[in-house]
Amino acid sequence: MNFEPMKEFLDHLTSWRIPGNVMVIYKDGKPVFEYTSGYSDIEKGEKMTSDKNFFIYSCSKITTTLCALQLLEKGLYKLDDPLYDFIPEYKEMYVERENGDIIKSPVPITIRNLFTMTAGFTYNFNVPGIKKAGEITGGKYDTLTTVKCHAEDLLCFVPGEEWNYSLCHDVLGGFIEAVSGKTLGEYAEKNVFEPLGIDAAYYKKDRYMQNMAQQYRFVDDTGEDDIVKLQQSEVNMEGGYLEIVGKTNSHMLGENYHSGGAGIITSVPEYAKLMSAIAEGGKGIIERKTIDSWRTNQLNEAQMKWFKWPQLKGYGYGLGVRTMIDPSIGTPLGEIGWGGAAGANALIDVDNNVSFFYAHHMLNNQEGYVQPRLRDILYQCLKG
């Protein structure tokens, strides 16, 4: 193994437009590479260190779906059970068609729909049901109350018709609470984080916030489409600038709202332990056969046409994670993972027992450029 190409790429990113980054790679259950580059706070001149905490945003989905799969292993539900069996508020759902017509959904939302982003939700928190949850809870937005109130909001398609990145995994978090009788954070702490010795939480705690890397946004001032530019060439900071957005996460509605889709705060070495445990075949927290279901593409041809982000070329979508299905890409089939809004990225390869967790802290995260290259360079490094 030779990780010099990865070091060079991480340094390239921080000389380009990423303020700072951290990466940890595991092979056969052992950390084989840890590296930091750039700054955790540019204005203060603070160099990035591996213990810095990040909002990992949608990389939280890996833990949330794992928790739900643990409950599946216990026989507490089946994937095609209707959601209303567990949260009755979802008994009757209504769909707003593109022409403005509102119809009653002819089929229920199933638990599988929640895993696979095919329930018909959007990623809009500014809807009547969620606003109502704020009123009912006095602005505290506990997860299950918020999810129940969200049942009053219109779907954007009939469940199963399309794939749409949405609040499905936040609703899945509410489902976990309804089935387990614990908050999502409590369940994950007892059944995932504590057994693996991971320091992470679904909500803000002072000690996490005190050691958090500053969060930025890259502002493209060229007026061009950033994704198109990245596909054409490696652009540099001359095409834009960084601005501080502060240590806030709009998906964290309050301390009592444990966002299944975007709520975890942790450091890279800590969350990398989870990726390694999965790559090792589950390490007692999930069965290998369940991992194989997790990484099996769930989308049909009609749904796949909506699954088309640049960084997802060659992938299908399993039970809440991307899964490699195209042998022409040149990396192992069945490799899984996901990314986060500020640049976190996870990769898990069970067949080769290799994984990584990477993070930077910049909205407009450039993952169309960064994510495929991290993957490809990983396998280059492993070949030595």
Side-chain angles (χ1 to χ4, degrees):
M1 293 181 286
N2 173 18
F3 293 104
E4 284 303 313
M6 188 64 79
K7 287 182 180 180
E8 291 173 3
F9 182 64
L10 297 179
D11 287 339
H12 158 68
L13 291 176
T14 55
S15 67
W16 171 54
R17 60 173 53 165
I18 306 300
N21 54 36
V22 184
M23 187 176 197
V24 174
I25 300 172
Y26 272 77
K27 179 76 174 79
D28 298 328
K30 297 178 181 179
V32 293
F33 176 78
E34 180 174 316
Y35 193 69
T36 64
S37 184
Y39 292 85
S40 61
D41 191 313
I42 295 172
E43 287 67 30
K44 294 181 179 179
E46 294 179 355
K47 290 281 191 177
M48 181 64 76
T49 55
S50 62
D51 66 332
K52 286 297 181 182
N53 291 317
F54 297 86
F55 292 123
I56 66 168
Y57 289 94
S58 288
C59 284
S60 307
K61 292 175 167 70
I62 295 172
T63 296
T64 300
T65 54
L66 187 154
C67 289
L69 288 170
Q70 288 179 333
L71 298 173
L72 180 66
E73 288 180 344
K74 293 175 182 178
L76 297 179
Y77 70 94
K78 294 186 179 298
L79 285 172
D80 294 317
D81 285 345
L83 177 58
Y84 65 71
D85 278 356
F86 307 91
I87 306 179
E89 285 80 358
Y90 286 87
K91 178 71 173 180
E92 292 186 357
M93 299 300 296
Y94 290 85
V95 181
E96 184 173 15
R97 290 301 197 181
E98 287 188 7
N99 63 4
D101 289 347
I102 296 175
I103 65 167
K104 182 178 178 181
S105 177
V107 296
I109 295 171
T110 66
I111 311 308
R112 188 187 301 272
N113 292 144
L114 298 183
F115 274 103
T116 60
M117 297 284 178
T118 58
F121 297 121
T122 68
Y123 231 132
N124 184 8
F125 284 96
N126 190 30
V127 287
I130 294 180
K131 290 180 179 179
K132 178 180 177 180
E135 296 169 2
I136 291 174
T137 63
K140 294 183 178 179
Y141 291 98
D142 71 87
T143 306
L144 190 52
T145 298
T146 304
V147 166
K148 288 179 177 179
C149 289
H150 191 37
E152 299 180 12
D153 295 314
L154 297 173
L155 302 178
C156 61
F157 56 81
V158 172
E161 279 188 346
E162 300 175 13
W163 182 90
N164 189 50
Y165 202 53
S166 66
L167 288 168
C168 275
H169 291 172
D170 282 50
V171 177
L172 189 65
F175 165 76
I176 290 167
E177 294 197 358
V179 173
S180 71
K182 302 180 184 300
T183 69
L184 177 58
E186 289 169 345
Y187 181 89
E189 177 66 29
K190 181 178 179 180
N191 294 280
V192 179
F193 300 149
E194 191 175 286
L196 296 177
I198 294 171
D199 189 13
Y202 269 95
Y203 48 92
K204 295 180 182 179
K205 291 182 177 179
D206 287 345
R207 66 183 181 87
Y208 289 103
M209 300 303 295
Q210 290 166 2
N211 196 38
M212 177 172 280
Q214 184 58 266
Q215 187 174 210
Y216 297 86
R217 182 192 312 277
F218 177 74
V219 180
D220 183 349
D221 60 5
T222 66
E224 298 179 33
D225 185 299
D226 203 41
I227 292 295
V228 172
K229 286 196 304 180
L230 289 171
Q231 290 173 332
Q232 293 173 343
S233 64
E234 295 183 18
V235 296
N236 56 42
M237 195 63 80
E238 293 178 2
Y241 59 92
L242 292 174
E243 66 177 10
I244 294 175
V245 296
K247 300 174 183 179
T248 61
N249 178 344
S250 62
H251 296 268
M252 293 180 168
L253 301 180
E255 276 199 10
N256 295 322
Y257 185 75
H258 300 173
S259 169
I264 292 177
I265 303 173
T266 189
S267 69
V268 169
E270 291 299 311
Y271 210 54
K273 297 175 188 176
L274 175 58
M275 307 309 117
S276 177
I278 299 166
E280 287 184 76
K283 209 170 180 178
I285 61 166
I286 189 171
E287 297 177 11
R288 172 56 194 266
K289 64 180 181 180
T290 305
I291 296 173
D292 287 339
S293 297
W294 202 3
R295 65 187 187 140
T296 298
N297 180 43
Q298 301 288 315
L299 303 185
N300 59 35
E301 186 176 349
Q303 295 161 343
M304 280 291 291
K305 72 179 183 180
W306 301 95
F307 189 75
K308 54 187 179 182
W309 297 340
Q311 69 271 20
L312 297 176
K313 182 180 180 181
Y315 290 96
Y317 195 65
L319 293 171
V321 290
R322 68 172 191 260
T323 182
M324 178 58 71
I325 60 174
D326 184 353
S328 71
I329 299 296
T331 52
L333 297 178
E335 168 255 300
I336 63 172
W338 201 247
N345 189 254
L347 179 147
I348 304 161
D349 178 351
V350 181
D351 293 334
N352 295 291
N353 196 352
V354 63
S355 62
F356 71 60
F357 191 61
Y358 163 93
H360 59 249
H361 221 196
M362 187 182 79
L363 300 171
N364 188 7
N365 60 29
Q366 319 295 299
E367 65 183 346
Y369 174 76
V370 175
Q371 181 176 303
R373 287 166 173 79
L374 288 176
R375 177 199 64 210
D376 293 348
I377 294 170
L378 168 70
Y379 288 104
Q380 175 188 344
C381 292
L382 292 174
K383 292 177 180 177

